[in-house]
Amino acid sequence: MRKNHFDLVILGGGPAGLSAGLYAARARLDHVMIEKGAPGGQVLLTDWVDNYPGFPDGISGFDLVEKMSAHARRFDLNTLTAEVTRVDVSDPARKRLILDNGSAIDCRSLIICTGARANTLNIPGEQELRGKGVSYCGTCDAPFYRNMHVAVIGGGNTAIQEAEYLTKFASRVTVIHRRDQLRATKIIQETAFANSRIDFIWNSQVTSIEGTTEVERLNLVDNEGRASTLEVEGVFVLIGVTPNNTCLPLDLLQADKWGFIPTDAETCTAVAGVMAAGDIRSKAVRQIVNAAGEGATAVLAAEAYLQSLKR
């Protein structure tokens, strides 16, 4: 009979979950990491990671996840492959996770590492050229585009700030926005408008992305139905991210207006014994390295909570 009660459950197996799993296993906590698929999360969709400490030559997303997983397995990480459909934290003494087969897992402490996903355009060529010129993170991938012409799709704060960052590397950045004005705050707009390396295409949407082995051009249509083509060597789709939160009790966790989970500096949420780490957290920076750090912090917070229950 499978065990159904643990001191600690880690929900999600991305960088935050794997880091939490490593710390939990090494500390010999009574734990399980639940992941519905292969561990790794969004990193598995990342072609190349060039900014994770310890890999001076860079590493593929797949290989990085493999190394993280192997490290945690070395300390006997306990894993369960299952999909969680509902999380119940209404009982202070017992957190309960309902699985898709109807069974339940109970725990004293819970670390939520369900992550988030980048919003996509869902247009021809986007999926095929992901990691081959299609990116969803300027901070991550900007150095790959030195002296190249790239496009940024979006008009919010993140899109315009990332466009500004990209000008440190790219020779030209073209922002494509479906409206005639940006949604970014005025001070961010002013900085972008003053940057000679940034230009704008207004009232237009990208209908497809083309290229043989890498991005070569974008096909656009404006609000009047006129088609055009833009030659670029990369495109950054920056139209927001969506938290993976459908199984979570957002009211009790006091989720922000976007559905992310607020925590204190130690990753503790509004519910005692529940921590959140990685991209599901309400925060400004979503990088692999800080997700891993938060996973470690969350386990230390969980340990402290479990110790408090014994006193």
Side-chain angles (χ1 to χ4, degrees):
M1 183 176 178
R2 188 185 69 195
K3 183 177 177 180
N4 63 3
H5 187 279
F6 299 87
D7 283 345
L8 171 64
V9 166
I10 301 161
L11 178 56
L18 286 171
S19 177
L22 165 63
Y23 270 68
R26 190 170 182 271
R28 296 292 185 261
L29 294 179
D30 175 36
H31 75 283
V32 66
M33 184 185 82
I34 303 176
E35 168 58 50
K36 65 180 179 180
Q42 291 294 300
V43 183
L44 288 175
L45 303 176
T46 304
D47 183 58
W48 195 255
V49 179
D50 219 21
N51 58 356
Y52 195 85
F55 299 95
D57 298 321
I59 186 171
S60 73
F62 179 84
D63 286 342
L64 179 58
V65 166
E66 280 294 294
K67 289 182 180 297
M68 286 182 169
S69 298
H71 195 173
R73 288 196 302 269
R74 176 186 158 207
F75 294 101
D76 299 321
L77 171 66
N78 185 27
T79 62
L80 172 65
T81 302
E83 183 169 359
V84 173
T85 58
R86 184 167 62 88
V87 174
D88 182 355
V89 296
S90 58
D91 184 346
R94 182 202 64 193
K95 288 76 177 170
R96 171 160 286 187
L97 293 84
I98 308 301
L99 307 185
D100 56 356
N101 63 6
S103 64
I105 299 288
D106 292 340
C107 58
R108 292 187 174 88
S109 62
L110 170 66
I111 301 175
I112 300 169
C113 305
T114 51
R117 59 194 183 278
N119 294 337
T120 62
L121 298 167
N122 294 317
I123 57 174
E126 181 181 13
Q127 187 60 40
E128 294 84 349
L129 292 168
R130 182 168 185 158
K132 298 171 181 147
V134 176
S135 174
Y136 300 87
C137 178
T139 307
C140 309
D141 295 337
F144 297 128
Y145 296 90
R146 294 181 188 275
N147 302 316
M148 297 183 186
H149 178 201
V150 301
V152 167
I153 300 174
N157 285 347
T158 298
I160 304 310
Q161 287 175 317
E162 294 272 43
E164 182 78 20
Y165 182 79
L166 282 161
T167 62
K168 296 179 180 180
F169 304 91
S171 59
R172 179 182 167 203
V173 178
T174 299
V175 174
I176 303 168
H177 190 43
R178 60 183 177 175
R179 300 186 178 90
D180 61 357
Q181 57 184 341
L182 301 173
R183 292 181 291 107
T185 58
K186 290 297 182 182
I187 190 167
I188 292 174
Q189 291 188 41
E190 290 168 2
T191 303
F193 291 146
N195 191 320
S196 61
R197 290 193 178 187
I198 301 178
D199 53 23
F200 296 84
I201 296 178
W202 305 101
N203 297 311
S204 297
Q205 298 184 60
V206 178
T207 57
S208 65
I209 303 170
E210 294 184 349
T212 305
T213 58
E214 297 180 338
V215 170
E216 297 173 9
R217 71 191 66 84
L218 308 177
N219 293 316
L220 292 80
V221 63
D222 67 16
N223 291 351
E224 302 298 322
R226 293 171 297 208
S228 62
T229 300
L230 180 68
E231 304 287 331
V232 295
E233 295 163 280
V235 55
F236 290 80
V237 181
L238 300 170
I239 54 174
V241 293
T242 299
N244 298 323
N245 63 10
T246 53
C247 68
L248 303 178
L250 301 182
D251 52 343
L252 293 177
L253 294 169
Q254 299 181 12
D256 65 21
K257 63 180 180 179
W258 296 284
F260 293 96
I261 308 303
T263 74
D264 63 13
E266 305 305 317
T267 74
C268 299
T269 71
V271 178
V274 178
M275 280 56 68
D279 287 359
I280 190 63
R281 283 185 71 220
S282 179
K283 58 180 181 177
V285 178
R286 290 184 169 86
Q287 296 284 293
I288 301 171
V289 68
N290 74 327
E294 290 163 14
T297 300
V299 172
L300 298 178
E303 277 193 284
Y305 173 77
L306 292 168
Q307 287 296 322
S308 74
L309 296 181
K310 297 177 181 179
R311 290 196 290 268

